[in-house]
Each structure stands twice: as structure tokens, then as C-alpha cells.
Amino acid sequence: TLSSSSAASDVYKRQEYGDRNFTTCMEVSKTEEVLLPTTIVVLRSGEEILRLKKIGSTVISVGSDSRIRVWSLNRSNGKLQLEKTLTGHKAPPFKIDYENQMLFTSSHREKCIKTWDLQTYEGIGEFIGHTGFITFFEANVKDQLVYSCSFDKTIRQWDIRSRKCCNILVDHDDVVTQVKTFRDSIVSSSGDNTIKIWDKRTLGHPVRTLSGHQQIIYSFFLHNGAIYSGSQDCTIKVWDMKSGYLKHNLETGHPVQHFSMKGKSIYSVNRYAIDVWNTKGKKCCSLDGHTGRINTMTLYKNFLITGSSDRTLRIWDVKTAKQMALLRSHKGPVHTAEGKDRWILSGSTDSTIRVWENVFYKNSEENGWI
């Protein structure tokens, strides 16, 4: 069996490079809605599009060449215009955060976070101090702080203005996989199978440690006073944040590396399908249709967008759990997808960014469920 650190390293490698093995695109039934892209942007041959982020009418893309490209999106016709290419990373950034015209980026292979001014497209500086690869970070411009975690088993708190480390939180016994803030709390997950809650005002030692997972915790999110954590041990656990009490335990039957929530439903990626659960731990259904591994899942409004190694994307209605459309045009596995208003953007190993019009968006507005 893999140690938690090696398991974490393995999943980050897969996130960075994706699943290169893909199957032949499935045949489409005659009754299935098929959408074609309105815009195709072709980059250099061999460059994979690993990550996309939509910020208003700005689109950020990350390529396998480690370049960050800034695009403007024409909201009326879906056309993309390249504004600037940002260079400086030694490996493709795994995470992009945006706050108040500042872009924050970091790569799993680097031990720093870079900042950029999105008005001038100039680099501002770096947050340097971790002794291991950074696994996650969160920018909080309201508090003028950045929180990061690393393979060095620490959490660091940084001042945005000076880019100096203010505090180092040490209590985990293995790689820290995520760190997030909520009101006066800092929450972290780790390869030591625990979640720790820290008080922002006092820092020091954690005020609470949540134990129960049997293997590395890959990710978590905070919702309505609860912590939802997903693990290699094939469970999603729901904790009361205030008391630390374990409220629900969802036995998924598969390692949980990527999951999300909309309303009272939890969506977890299970290889070729999305499993849907309620918050009390009951499985409601599975969204089936892809014939290759699902690499990306995005919830926006009342749509769920999935992208797969079968070279397709699919739009799902989260209210009915029905597939609305198949998006078929990419020539390689789809790594990333973003949805905003009437436009869906996708990136693939085929060196293209494709923009699709979500023809269901207007109807959903008229029906009052957006």
C-alpha cells in the first residue's frame, strides 16, 4: 500500500498531467442533444490545456508549457482575444486564485506562490518560505492574508502587502493537503488522516482535531457550519464544525479525490460517473454516460458540467439529474471546464480552448431556476 505522502504525490501528479489514455468517442443516440463549439482557439502543437478559470469577462488558461495566458471573452459572441502571456513558473500551476485585481498562482513542483497584477499584467512578487512543495493555498484580500500548506507538514500565514510569513502552524504529522478559512477559523486536512481547526485570533495549537478517516484526506469544503471531507478510505464524512461531532458517514465505494455540493446534494467523481448523495448519506443516483475517466466537474447555476478522457463534455440538469447535452468536438481528453452565464469553456490535450454556448441558459432564466 502507498504511504499517505506517496499517495498525495501520486494524485497531484495525475492532476497535473491528467489521464493520457482515452477511449474512442462513444456513439450518440439520435435523441441526444449535441452541441458544437462557437469558438476554437488553437495553441502550439503538443501543448495541453490543463486549467481554466473565468473571472468576469477575463479567462485565465494554464498550459503544459507552464505559461499562463490571459484572455478577454466577448460575451456577445464567445470570441477569445489573447491579452497577455505570463511566464515564470517552472511547472504548470495547479491552482489559480483571484482577489481584487490580483492573481495568485502556484505549482505543485515549486515552493512558492507568485502574484500578478491583472491590470498591468506585471509580476508583483513571490511568497517564499515553504521547504516542501505547496499543495494548496487560499488568498483572503479582506484580511490581507494568504494561507498555504505543503508537503513540509506546515501551514503558513502570509501578509499580502509585504509577502512575508506572519505565522507558521505546526501540528500535522504528514503532508497538509488543504487549508481554508471560515470566519475566525482556519481548517486544514492532512495525510495524517485528520482535520484540524485553528482559531485565527490565537493561532498556536489547534482548538480541535477531527479523527475518523482511515487514510489520507484529499479535500474538504465548508457549508452551513459543517465540514465535508473526502478521503482515500472511500468515505465522505460530515462533521459539525463547532462541536467536532461526526454527523454522517457516506460510504462511497471509491476513493474521494474530487467532490462538490449544490443545495442538499453532494456530487463525487467515481471514474466514469458522478455519484449523487444527500447530506444524510443516502445515495440518490449516478450520472452515467461518459466512457472515459472524468477529469473535471464544474457546478454553476443549476448545471453540472463534466469533462472526460472520452474527449467529450456533458451538461447535466442538477434538479432532474438528467443529461441535457453532449459537447463533442475535442480530439483529446478534456482536462478542464468552466461555466459562466451562457458560455462554457473547455481545455484539452488537443492544444485547444473551445467555447460553447449553453443553449439551455436562457430557458433556465425564464423558468426562474437561475
Side-chain angles (χ1 to χ4, degrees):
T1 58
L2 290 173
S3 68
S4 55
S5 291
S6 61
S9 178
D10 181 58
V11 70
Y12 293 136
K13 183 176 180 181
R14 288 203 303 275
Q15 287 174 350
E16 197 162 304
Y17 295 104
D19 181 358
R20 296 179 185 274
N21 298 316
F22 53 89
T23 58
T24 303
C25 187
M26 67 180 293
E27 292 298 320
V28 182
S29 65
K30 293 181 180 179
T31 59
E32 191 167 33
E33 184 82 34
V34 180
L35 302 183
L36 296 175
T38 59
T39 301
I40 301 176
V41 176
V42 182
L43 302 182
R44 294 185 305 176
S45 177
E47 179 180 350
E48 301 179 12
I49 310 303
L50 303 178
R51 215 145 280 108
L52 291 170
K53 188 172 182 67
K54 179 96 165 46
I55 306 166
S57 59
T58 299
V59 175
I60 309 294
S61 69
V62 175
S64 56
D65 63 356
S66 304
R67 295 172 185 265
I68 301 167
R69 291 178 173 85
V70 183
W71 311 81
S72 59
L73 174 67
N74 187 316
R75 294 188 176 186
S76 63
N77 59 23
K79 300 292 185 182
L80 286 174
Q81 174 68 43
L82 180 63
E83 299 293 340
K84 188 70 174 180
T85 299
L86 310 178
T87 60
H89 279 290
K90 297 177 181 177
F94 73 94
K95 180 170 168 57
I96 303 167
D97 210 350
Y98 171 81
E99 289 281 351
N100 194 28
Q101 294 299 318
M102 292 178 68
L103 188 70
F104 300 81
T105 60
S106 185
S107 152
H108 285 311
R109 293 187 176 184
E110 295 171 320
K111 301 172 185 177
C112 70
I113 300 167
K114 295 181 183 294
T115 56
W116 316 80
D117 186 325
L118 274 190
Q119 291 182 314
T120 64
Y121 303 117
E122 297 295 327
I124 299 173
E126 298 179 339
F127 299 84
I128 301 174
H130 278 295
T131 59
F133 297 150
I134 293 174
T135 54
F136 194 86
F137 69 87
E138 178 185 88
N140 187 327
V141 170
K142 180 182 178 181
D143 295 337
Q144 287 295 297
L145 295 169
V146 173
Y147 295 86
S148 61
C149 54
S150 165
F151 271 92
D152 64 15
K153 308 177 188 179
T154 71
I155 299 160
R156 289 181 179 248
Q157 181 191 66
W158 310 83
D159 180 88
I160 285 181
R161 297 184 188 89
S162 67
R163 296 182 298 281
K164 292 183 178 179
C165 182
C166 311
N167 290 285
I168 303 175
L169 306 183
V170 182
D171 203 74
H172 282 294
D173 297 324
D174 208 326
V175 53
V176 186
T177 54
Q178 279 196 348
V179 59
K180 298 178 182 179
T181 59
F182 178 75
R183 295 179 182 171
D184 291 328
S185 297
I186 302 167
V187 185
S188 60
S189 60
S190 172
D192 64 13
N193 312 338
T194 69
I195 292 172
K196 294 182 184 289
I197 303 173
W198 320 68
D199 190 320
K200 277 186 186 178
R201 298 162 295 186
T202 59
L203 299 175
H205 294 289
V207 296
R208 190 167 293 109
T209 297
L210 311 183
S211 301
H213 281 294
Q214 302 303 307
Q215 295 186 61
I216 181 174
I217 301 168
Y218 287 121
S219 62
F220 68 90
F221 60 88
L222 312 172
H223 180 73
N224 287 344
I227 300 172
Y228 296 75
S229 56
S231 168
Q232 179 69 23
D233 66 10
C234 303
T235 68
I236 297 172
K237 296 186 186 295
V238 185
W239 315 80
D240 181 83
M241 190 168 172
K242 188 174 182 180
S243 66
Y245 174 72
L246 179 61
K247 299 169 65 175
H248 302 291
N249 184 59
L250 286 65
E251 298 281 352
T252 65
H254 60 85
V256 182
Q257 296 175 1
H258 184 26
F259 72 111
S260 192
M261 187 172 185
K262 178 79 172 180
K264 296 182 179 180
S265 297
I266 299 170
Y267 300 83
S268 65
V269 176
N270 181 8
R271 289 177 61 80
Y272 302 162
I274 302 292
D275 291 338
V276 186
W277 311 77
N278 65 26
T279 53
K280 295 183 178 179
K282 180 181 178 181
K283 185 176 179 180
C284 305
C285 63
S286 289
L287 307 183
D288 297 304
H290 284 294
T291 59
R293 182 185 294 275
I294 295 174
N295 300 318
T296 182
M297 172 180 70
T298 302
L299 281 160
Y300 88 102
K301 303 299 184 182
N302 280 301
F303 304 108
L304 175 70
I305 311 299
T306 54
S308 165
S309 291
D310 64 13
R311 314 181 198 183
T312 71
L313 297 98
R314 293 170 190 266
I315 305 176
W316 310 84
D317 181 340
V318 299
K319 287 201 166 186
T320 64
K322 299 293 185 183
Q323 181 178 310
M324 303 176 75
L326 173 69
L327 283 59
R328 185 174 67 176
S329 175
H330 279 295
K331 306 303 181 185
V334 179
H335 277 315
T336 180
E338 275 277 296
K340 180 69 175 180
D341 299 331
R342 57 190 279 224
W343 302 111
I344 295 170
L345 298 100
S346 60
S348 165
T349 62
D350 64 8
S351 307
T352 69
I353 300 171
R354 299 179 189 237
V355 184
W356 320 69
E357 183 175 8
N358 185 350
V359 296
F360 306 102
Y361 184 81
K362 185 177 180 180
N363 291 336
S364 61
E365 271 189 319
E366 292 172 350
N367 292 335
W369 46 276
I370 284 185

